[in-house]
Amino acid sequence: MKFCSQCGSPVEQRIPEGDNRQRFVCPQCTTIHYQNPRVIAGCLPVWGEQVLLCRRAIEPRRGYWTLPAGFMENGETLAEAAARETDEEACARVRDLALYTLFDLPHISQLYVFFRAELVDLDFAAGEESLEVKLFHEHEIPWNELAFPTAGRTLQCYFADRREQLYPIRNEGLAALRPRG
Amino acid sequence: MKFCSQCGSPVEQRIPEGDNRQRFVCPQCTTIHYQNPRVIAGCLPVWGEQVLLCRRAIEPRRGYWTLPAGFMENGETLAEAAARETDEEACARVRDLALYTLFDLPHISQLYVFFRAELVDLDFAAGEESLEVKLFHEHEIPWNELAFPTAGRTLQCYFADRREQLYPIRNEGLAALRPRG
């Protein structure tokens, strides 16, 4: 940030009175420009024994597989954002969304949230940001071709939880996302 | 938003190519300025049978009681944000944070998240944004003097769940926050 979005003057970085963090502040109109983490919401769409993955048509990680997910927009609920992203990326409709995984990614100031969801029908297709959309059985998951550890960890939890038929909601950090030895 | 924070030119509102929403776009440097929901994180600090509430020293809702909570900052995890806010508003340290309630507030583009947490000790005090910080038994909760329905609903869930000794994580929307007839 270089200029004030309210008045167009150059901003400066300083700690405002009563605060304890550096902020972008406008010396002209005194607006404080706060910057906050962004939320990414997505679905783990399930069809019987299979789950739906999308192969990314865009960077980062073009060509790799992932779960449909994207930035939550103003005016949405978490579940609405997750369902919209599933529609946009996989042209798929989902129901019975159940909160499942929340990953803290403080190094990039993101909060990643996945819902388990039931696919409504098999009428899905690659959206504009996907090369391909496909159902996978557990043994078919392309573990080495997944785009993001958040999707991989969600799938890993899901298949483990499915054996127990218990799906605890998880709030995990980076440690859970690091590949094990 | 009136000016581009990258180059200082006046922005315009339009739907960028490949998008389906109005965004602030800079016609000069082509930067698209996305605006996304903000996350508020807080704690329900517990000491035995009692819970800790803060009486707000600032607007909105100055003089009303609430749970310590505030905007999540870049570089934090959800739980870190909740613990920091508890320290700032109640000068209190908490441990064993457990994700508890997530409220979607799409009309103000906020996501509100509370953790249950254990107070480490009784060494708490009013922070700069609080007039008073106090422990309450269930029958002492000032239900009609609570600042925000998110705090009220979290307390309501907590006392109900405590009877069952089961604390399911809840993702609720506005309906849960409306007062019942």
Side-chain angles (χ1 to χ4, degrees):
Chain A
M1 163 164 266
K2 295 173 193 157
F3 298 91
C4 175
S5 55
Q6 285 308 303
C7 79
S9 304
V11 290
E12 53 187 42
Q13 271 198 293
R14 57 180 178 83
I15 301 176
E17 202 186 314
D19 201 340
N20 51 23
R21 274 162 206 259
Q22 290 270 344
R23 313 281 182 187
F24 289 105
V25 180
C26 179
Q28 194 63 35
C29 74
T30 74
T31 302
I32 304 170
H33 298 278
Y34 296 96
Q35 297 184 315
N36 299 91
R38 293 209 287 174
V39 179
I40 290 164
C43 279
L44 166 56
V46 175
W47 179 262
E49 294 289 301
Q50 296 168 286
V51 300
L52 194 73
L53 300 183
C54 305
R55 201 152 71 86
R56 288 174 64 81
I58 54 170
E59 296 295 348
R61 304 291 278 161
R62 187 176 193 278
Y64 287 81
W65 292 92
T66 193
L67 296 169
F71 288 109
M72 186 181 182
E73 300 275 4
N74 279 350
E76 286 183 326
T77 67
L78 266 179
E80 284 167 357
R84 176 184 51 73
E85 289 289 343
T86 306
D87 191 25
E88 288 178 7
E89 298 186 358
C91 305
R93 277 136 310 280
V94 284
R95 65 180 168 211
D96 299 340
L97 278 70
L99 189 64
Y100 189 39
T101 50
L102 293 93
F103 299 106
D104 288 298
L105 306 182
H107 60 302
I108 49 173
S109 294
Q110 291 183 353
L111 177 66
Y112 234 99
V113 180
F114 283 104
F115 290 78
R116 291 182 297 116
E118 298 290 323
L119 267 180
V120 169
D121 53 44
L122 290 174
D123 184 20
F124 57 78
E128 280 187 15
E129 299 184 358
S130 303
L131 297 169
E132 191 181 352
V133 175
K134 216 174 115 180
L135 287 169
F136 290 84
H137 285 283
E138 182 176 0
H139 68 272
E140 298 165 334
I141 299 286
W143 294 105
N144 294 321
E145 292 162 53
L146 294 180
F148 305 114
T150 50
R153 176 68 181 155
T154 299
L155 289 165
Q156 184 187 44
C157 291
Y158 176 71
F159 292 118
D161 289 348
R162 191 166 72 177
R163 280 174 208 110
E164 311 292 328
Q165 288 289 303
L166 274 179
Y167 302 92
I169 298 169
R170 292 177 165 86
N171 175 214
E172 299 183 328
L174 292 173
L177 300 178
R178 291 205 187 96
R180 286 96 193 248
Chain B
M1 164 162 267
K2 293 172 192 158
F3 297 92
C4 175
S5 55
Q6 285 309 302
C7 80
S9 304
V11 289
E12 53 187 42
Q13 269 198 294
R14 57 180 178 82
I15 301 176
E17 203 187 313
D19 202 338
N20 50 25
R21 273 162 205 261
Q22 291 269 343
R23 311 280 182 191
F24 289 105
V25 179
C26 179
Q28 194 63 35
C29 75
T30 75
T31 301
I32 304 169
H33 298 279
Y34 296 98
Q35 297 184 314
N36 300 92
R38 293 209 285 174
V39 179
I40 290 165
C43 279
L44 167 54
V46 175
W47 179 262
E49 294 287 303
Q50 296 169 286
V51 300
L52 194 73
L53 299 182
C54 306
R55 201 153 71 86
R56 288 173 64 80
I58 54 169
E59 296 295 348
R61 305 290 278 160
R62 186 174 194 278
Y64 288 81
W65 292 91
T66 194
L67 296 169
F71 288 109
M72 185 181 181
E73 299 276 5
N74 279 351
E76 286 183 327
T77 67
L78 268 177
E80 284 167 357
R84 176 184 50 73
E85 289 290 342
T86 306
D87 191 25
E88 287 179 6
E89 299 186 358
C91 305
R93 278 135 310 280
V94 284
R95 65 178 168 213
D96 299 339
L97 278 70
L99 188 64
Y100 190 39
T101 51
L102 294 93
F103 299 106
D104 289 298
L105 305 182
H107 59 303
I108 49 172
S109 294
Q110 290 182 355
L111 178 67
Y112 235 99
V113 181
F114 283 105
F115 290 78
R116 291 183 295 116
E118 298 291 323
L119 268 180
V120 169
D121 53 45
L122 290 174
D123 184 20
F124 57 78
E128 280 187 17
E129 299 183 0
S130 305
L131 296 169
E132 192 181 350
V133 174
K134 213 173 115 182
L135 286 170
F136 290 85
H137 285 283
E138 181 176 1
H139 68 273
E140 299 166 332
I141 300 285
W143 294 105
N144 295 321
E145 292 163 52
L146 294 180
F148 306 113
T150 49
R153 176 67 181 153
T154 299
L155 289 165
Q156 184 186 43
C157 292
Y158 175 72
F159 293 118
D161 289 348
R162 193 167 69 176
R163 280 176 208 110
E164 311 292 328
Q165 288 289 304
L166 273 177
Y167 302 92
I169 298 168
R170 291 176 165 88
N171 175 214
E172 298 183 329
L174 292 173
L177 300 178
R178 291 203 188 96
R180 285 96 193 247

Short mmCIF file of all heavy atoms in Angstrom, two decimals, chain B residues 55-94:
data_model
loop_
_atom_site.label_atom_id
_atom_site.label_comp_id
_atom_site.label_asym_id
_atom_site.label_seq_id
_atom_site.Cartn_x
_atom_site.Cartn_y
_atom_site.Cartn_z
N ARG B 55 -16.71 -5.37 30.51
CA ARG B 55 -17.65 -4.28 30.22
C ARG B 55 -16.93 -3.28 29.33
O ARG B 55 -15.85 -2.79 29.67
CB ARG B 55 -18.14 -3.63 31.53
CG ARG B 55 -19.45 -2.88 31.33
CD ARG B 55 -20.25 -2.82 32.63
NE ARG B 55 -19.64 -1.93 33.59
CZ ARG B 55 -19.86 -0.60 33.62
NH1 ARG B 55 -20.68 -0.05 32.77
NH2 ARG B 55 -19.27 0.13 34.54
N ARG B 56 -17.52 -3.01 28.19
CA ARG B 56 -16.84 -2.26 27.14
C ARG B 56 -16.63 -0.79 27.50
O ARG B 56 -17.57 -0.12 27.94
CB ARG B 56 -17.61 -2.35 25.82
CG ARG B 56 -17.50 -3.72 25.19
CD ARG B 56 -18.40 -3.84 23.99
NE ARG B 56 -18.04 -2.94 22.91
CZ ARG B 56 -17.07 -3.17 22.03
NH1 ARG B 56 -16.33 -4.27 22.12
NH2 ARG B 56 -16.82 -2.30 21.06
N ALA B 57 -15.39 -0.31 27.26
CA ALA B 57 -15.07 1.10 27.49
C ALA B 57 -15.16 1.89 26.19
O ALA B 57 -14.94 3.10 26.18
CB ALA B 57 -13.66 1.22 28.07
N ILE B 58 -15.44 1.20 25.08
CA ILE B 58 -15.46 1.89 23.78
C ILE B 58 -16.74 1.58 23.04
O ILE B 58 -17.44 0.60 23.32
CB ILE B 58 -14.24 1.46 22.92
CG1 ILE B 58 -14.18 -0.08 22.77
CG2 ILE B 58 -12.93 1.97 23.51
CD1 ILE B 58 -13.20 -0.57 21.74
N GLU B 59 -17.05 2.46 22.07
CA GLU B 59 -18.18 2.22 21.18
C GLU B 59 -17.76 1.19 20.12
O GLU B 59 -16.59 1.10 19.82
CB GLU B 59 -18.61 3.53 20.52
CG GLU B 59 -19.15 4.58 21.50
CD GLU B 59 -20.45 4.15 22.20
OE1 GLU B 59 -21.07 3.16 21.78
OE2 GLU B 59 -20.82 4.81 23.17
N PRO B 60 -18.64 0.46 19.52
CA PRO B 60 -20.07 0.44 19.85
C PRO B 60 -20.37 -0.31 21.16
O PRO B 60 -19.56 -1.11 21.59
CB PRO B 60 -20.67 -0.32 18.67
CG PRO B 60 -19.58 -1.23 18.20
CD PRO B 60 -18.29 -0.49 18.46
N ARG B 61 -21.53 0.04 21.73
CA ARG B 61 -22.03 -0.68 22.90
C ARG B 61 -21.17 -0.45 24.14
O ARG B 61 -20.98 -1.37 24.95
CB ARG B 61 -22.18 -2.19 22.61
CG ARG B 61 -23.05 -2.49 21.40
CD ARG B 61 -24.50 -2.21 21.61
NE ARG B 61 -25.18 -3.29 22.31
CZ ARG B 61 -26.33 -3.13 22.95
NH1 ARG B 61 -26.92 -1.96 22.97
NH2 ARG B 61 -26.89 -4.15 23.56
N ARG B 62 -20.69 0.79 24.30
CA ARG B 62 -19.96 1.16 25.52
C ARG B 62 -20.83 0.89 26.74
O ARG B 62 -22.03 1.18 26.74
CB ARG B 62 -19.59 2.64 25.46
CG ARG B 62 -18.70 3.09 26.60
CD ARG B 62 -18.25 4.54 26.40
NE ARG B 62 -17.15 4.85 27.30
CZ ARG B 62 -17.31 5.20 28.59
NH1 ARG B 62 -18.52 5.33 29.09
NH2 ARG B 62 -16.25 5.44 29.34
N GLY B 63 -20.25 0.33 27.81
CA GLY B 63 -20.98 0.09 29.05
C GLY B 63 -21.66 -1.27 29.09
O GLY B 63 -22.13 -1.69 30.15
N TYR B 64 -21.73 -1.97 27.96
CA TYR B 64 -22.36 -3.29 27.93
C TYR B 64 -21.29 -4.38 28.08
O TYR B 64 -20.11 -4.17 27.80
CB TYR B 64 -23.14 -3.48 26.62
CG TYR B 64 -24.40 -2.66 26.58
CD1 TYR B 64 -24.37 -1.31 26.24
CD2 TYR B 64 -25.63 -3.23 26.91
CE1 TYR B 64 -25.53 -0.54 26.22
CE2 TYR B 64 -26.80 -2.47 26.89
CZ TYR B 64 -26.74 -1.14 26.55
OH TYR B 64 -27.88 -0.39 26.54
N TRP B 65 -21.76 -5.56 28.51
CA TRP B 65 -20.85 -6.67 28.78
C TRP B 65 -20.66 -7.56 27.56
O TRP B 65 -21.59 -7.77 26.79
CB TRP B 65 -21.42 -7.53 29.92
CG TRP B 65 -21.41 -6.82 31.24
CD1 TRP B 65 -22.43 -6.07 31.77
CD2 TRP B 65 -20.35 -6.78 32.20
NE1 TRP B 65 -22.07 -5.57 32.99
CE2 TRP B 65 -20.80 -5.99 33.29
CE3 TRP B 65 -19.07 -7.34 32.25
CZ2 TRP B 65 -20.00 -5.76 34.41
CZ3 TRP B 65 -18.28 -7.10 33.37
CH2 TRP B 65 -18.74 -6.32 34.43
N THR B 66 -19.45 -8.10 27.44
CA THR B 66 -19.19 -9.01 26.33
C THR B 66 -18.03 -9.94 26.65
O THR B 66 -17.40 -9.83 27.70
CB THR B 66 -18.90 -8.20 25.04
OG1 THR B 66 -18.97 -9.08 23.91
CG2 THR B 66 -17.52 -7.55 25.10
N LEU B 67 -17.79 -10.86 25.74
CA LEU B 67 -16.61 -11.73 25.84
C LEU B 67 -15.45 -11.03 25.14
O LEU B 67 -15.66 -10.33 24.16
CB LEU B 67 -16.89 -13.07 25.16
CG LEU B 67 -17.99 -13.91 25.81
CD1 LEU B 67 -18.37 -15.09 24.91
CD2 LEU B 67 -17.53 -14.42 27.18
N PRO B 68 -14.22 -11.23 25.63
CA PRO B 68 -13.09 -10.59 24.97
C PRO B 68 -12.94 -11.11 23.54
O PRO B 68 -12.86 -12.33 23.32
CB PRO B 68 -11.90 -10.98 25.85
CG PRO B 68 -12.34 -12.16 26.65
CD PRO B 68 -13.82 -12.03 26.80
N ALA B 69 -12.88 -10.22 22.57
CA ALA B 69 -12.79 -10.60 21.15
C ALA B 69 -12.39 -9.38 20.34
O ALA B 69 -12.63 -8.24 20.75
CB ALA B 69 -14.13 -11.12 20.66
N GLY B 70 -11.82 -9.63 19.17
CA GLY B 70 -11.45 -8.51 18.30
C GLY B 70 -10.94 -9.01 16.97
O GLY B 70 -10.85 -10.23 16.73
N PHE B 71 -10.59 -8.09 16.10
CA PHE B 71 -10.17 -8.46 14.74
C PHE B 71 -8.88 -9.27 14.74
O PHE B 71 -7.89 -8.89 15.37
CB PHE B 71 -9.99 -7.21 13.88
CG PHE B 71 -11.28 -6.55 13.52
CD1 PHE B 71 -11.64 -5.33 14.07
CD2 PHE B 71 -12.16 -7.17 12.63
CE1 PHE B 71 -12.85 -4.73 13.74
CE2 PHE B 71 -13.37 -6.57 12.30
CZ PHE B 71 -13.73 -5.36 12.86
N MET B 72 -8.92 -10.38 14.03
CA MET B 72 -7.73 -11.20 13.80
C MET B 72 -6.74 -10.38 12.96
O MET B 72 -7.13 -9.68 12.03
CB MET B 72 -8.18 -12.45 13.03
CG MET B 72 -7.11 -13.49 12.79
SD MET B 72 -7.86 -14.88 11.83
CE MET B 72 -6.40 -15.95 11.72
N GLU B 73 -5.46 -10.45 13.33
CA GLU B 73 -4.43 -9.69 12.63
C GLU B 73 -3.66 -10.59 11.67
O GLU B 73 -3.60 -11.81 11.85
CB GLU B 73 -3.42 -9.11 13.65
CG GLU B 73 -4.02 -8.17 14.68
CD GLU B 73 -4.15 -6.73 14.17
OE1 GLU B 73 -3.86 -6.47 12.98
OE2 GLU B 73 -4.56 -5.87 14.98
N ASN B 74 -3.06 -9.96 10.66
CA ASN B 74 -2.16 -10.72 9.78
C ASN B 74 -1.08 -11.41 10.60
O ASN B 74 -0.60 -10.87 11.60
CB ASN B 74 -1.51 -9.76 8.77
CG ASN B 74 -2.43 -9.45 7.60
OD1 ASN B 74 -3.48 -10.05 7.45
ND2 ASN B 74 -2.02 -8.50 6.78
N GLY B 75 -0.71 -12.61 10.20
CA GLY B 75 0.39 -13.32 10.84
C GLY B 75 -0.01 -14.11 12.08
O GLY B 75 0.84 -14.71 12.73
N GLU B 76 -1.31 -14.12 12.39
CA GLU B 76 -1.78 -14.85 13.58
C GLU B 76 -2.56 -16.10 13.19
O GLU B 76 -3.17 -16.15 12.12
CB GLU B 76 -2.76 -13.98 14.37
CG GLU B 76 -2.17 -12.87 15.16
CD GLU B 76 -3.23 -12.12 15.96
OE1 GLU B 76 -4.39 -12.01 15.50
OE2 GLU B 76 -2.89 -11.63 17.04
N THR B 77 -2.63 -17.05 14.12
CA THR B 77 -3.62 -18.11 14.02
C THR B 77 -4.89 -17.61 14.71
O THR B 77 -4.85 -16.64 15.49
CB THR B 77 -3.15 -19.41 14.71
OG1 THR B 77 -3.07 -19.17 16.12
CG2 THR B 77 -1.78 -19.85 14.19
N LEU B 78 -6.00 -18.30 14.44
CA LEU B 78 -7.27 -17.97 15.11
C LEU B 78 -7.10 -17.98 16.63
O LEU B 78 -7.54 -17.05 17.33
CB LEU B 78 -8.33 -19.01 14.75
CG LEU B 78 -9.24 -18.78 13.56
CD1 LEU B 78 -10.14 -19.99 13.38
CD2 LEU B 78 -10.06 -17.50 13.73
N ALA B 79 -6.50 -19.05 17.15
CA ALA B 79 -6.36 -19.18 18.60
C ALA B 79 -5.43 -18.11 19.17
O ALA B 79 -5.66 -17.59 20.27
CB ALA B 79 -5.85 -20.59 18.96
N GLU B 80 -4.38 -17.77 18.43
CA GLU B 80 -3.48 -16.70 18.88
C GLU B 80 -4.23 -15.37 18.96
O GLU B 80 -4.03 -14.59 19.90
CB GLU B 80 -2.28 -16.57 17.93
CG GLU B 80 -1.23 -17.65 18.12
CD GLU B 80 -0.21 -17.70 16.99
OE1 GLU B 80 -0.33 -16.93 16.01
OE2 GLU B 80 0.71 -18.55 17.07
N ALA B 81 -5.06 -15.11 17.97
CA ALA B 81 -5.85 -13.87 17.97
C ALA B 81 -6.79 -13.85 19.18
O ALA B 81 -6.92 -12.82 19.85
CB ALA B 81 -6.65 -13.75 16.68
N ALA B 82 -7.45 -14.97 19.44
CA ALA B 82 -8.39 -15.05 20.56
C ALA B 82 -7.67 -14.84 21.90
O ALA B 82 -8.16 -14.11 22.78
CB ALA B 82 -9.11 -16.40 20.55
N ALA B 83 -6.49 -15.45 22.05
CA ALA B 83 -5.73 -15.30 23.30
C ALA B 83 -5.20 -13.87 23.44
O ALA B 83 -5.20 -13.30 24.54
CB ALA B 83 -4.58 -16.31 23.34
N ARG B 84 -4.73 -13.28 22.34
CA ARG B 84 -4.24 -11.91 22.39
C ARG B 84 -5.34 -10.93 22.80
O ARG B 84 -5.15 -10.06 23.65
CB ARG B 84 -3.65 -11.50 21.03
CG ARG B 84 -3.20 -10.03 20.97
CD ARG B 84 -2.72 -9.60 19.59
NE ARG B 84 -3.64 -9.94 18.52
CZ ARG B 84 -4.81 -9.33 18.29
NH1 ARG B 84 -5.21 -8.33 19.06
NH2 ARG B 84 -5.58 -9.71 17.28
N GLU B 85 -6.52 -11.09 22.22
CA GLU B 85 -7.63 -10.20 22.56
C GLU B 85 -8.01 -10.35 24.03
O GLU B 85 -8.39 -9.37 24.69
CB GLU B 85 -8.84 -10.47 21.66
CG GLU B 85 -8.65 -10.01 20.22
CD GLU B 85 -8.63 -8.48 20.06
OE1 GLU B 85 -9.10 -7.79 20.99
OE2 GLU B 85 -8.14 -7.99 19.03
N THR B 86 -7.93 -11.57 24.55
CA THR B 86 -8.24 -11.81 25.95
C THR B 86 -7.23 -11.12 26.85
O THR B 86 -7.58 -10.54 27.89
CB THR B 86 -8.28 -13.34 26.22
OG1 THR B 86 -9.19 -13.93 25.29
CG2 THR B 86 -8.72 -13.65 27.64
N ASP B 87 -5.98 -11.14 26.42
CA ASP B 87 -4.93 -10.45 27.16
C ASP B 87 -5.13 -8.94 27.09
O ASP B 87 -5.02 -8.24 28.10
CB ASP B 87 -3.57 -10.85 26.58
CG ASP B 87 -2.40 -10.39 27.46
OD1 ASP B 87 -2.61 -10.21 28.68
OD2 ASP B 87 -1.30 -10.21 26.92
N GLU B 88 -5.46 -8.43 25.90
CA GLU B 88 -5.60 -6.97 25.73
C GLU B 88 -6.81 -6.42 26.48
O GLU B 88 -6.75 -5.36 27.08
CB GLU B 88 -5.70 -6.61 24.25
CG GLU B 88 -4.37 -6.76 23.51
CD GLU B 88 -4.48 -6.44 22.03
OE1 GLU B 88 -5.56 -5.99 21.58
OE2 GLU B 88 -3.50 -6.66 21.31
N GLU B 89 -7.93 -7.13 26.41
CA GLU B 89 -9.17 -6.58 26.96
C GLU B 89 -9.40 -6.94 28.42
O GLU B 89 -10.11 -6.23 29.14
CB GLU B 89 -10.36 -7.02 26.11
CG GLU B 89 -10.21 -6.50 24.68
CD GLU B 89 -11.41 -6.77 23.80
OE1 GLU B 89 -12.38 -7.40 24.26
OE2 GLU B 89 -11.36 -6.35 22.63
N ALA B 90 -8.83 -8.08 28.85
CA ALA B 90 -9.07 -8.54 30.23
C ALA B 90 -7.76 -8.78 30.99
O ALA B 90 -7.79 -9.27 32.12
CB ALA B 90 -9.91 -9.81 30.22
N CYS B 91 -6.63 -8.44 30.36
CA CYS B 91 -5.31 -8.67 30.99
C CYS B 91 -5.24 -10.08 31.57
O CYS B 91 -4.68 -10.28 32.67
CB CYS B 91 -5.03 -7.63 32.07
SG CYS B 91 -5.16 -5.93 31.50
N ALA B 92 -5.81 -11.02 30.84
CA ALA B 92 -5.91 -12.40 31.35
C ALA B 92 -5.22 -13.38 30.40
O ALA B 92 -5.27 -13.22 29.19
CB ALA B 92 -7.39 -12.79 31.49
N ARG B 93 -4.61 -14.38 30.99
CA ARG B 93 -3.99 -15.43 30.21
C ARG B 93 -4.88 -16.69 30.26
O ARG B 93 -5.44 -17.01 31.29
CB ARG B 93 -2.59 -15.77 30.74
CG ARG B 93 -1.51 -14.80 30.24
CD ARG B 93 -0.59 -14.35 31.32
NE ARG B 93 -1.33 -13.88 32.48
CZ ARG B 93 -1.89 -12.65 32.58
NH1 ARG B 93 -1.80 -11.79 31.60
NH2 ARG B 93 -2.55 -12.32 33.68
N VAL B 94 -4.98 -17.33 29.08
CA VAL B 94 -5.84 -18.51 28.95
C VAL B 94 -5.05 -19.67 28.38
O VAL B 94 -4.01 -19.49 27.76
CB VAL B 94 -7.05 -18.21 28.03
CG1 VAL B 94 -8.10 -17.38 28.76
CG2 VAL B 94 -6.62 -17.52 26.74
#
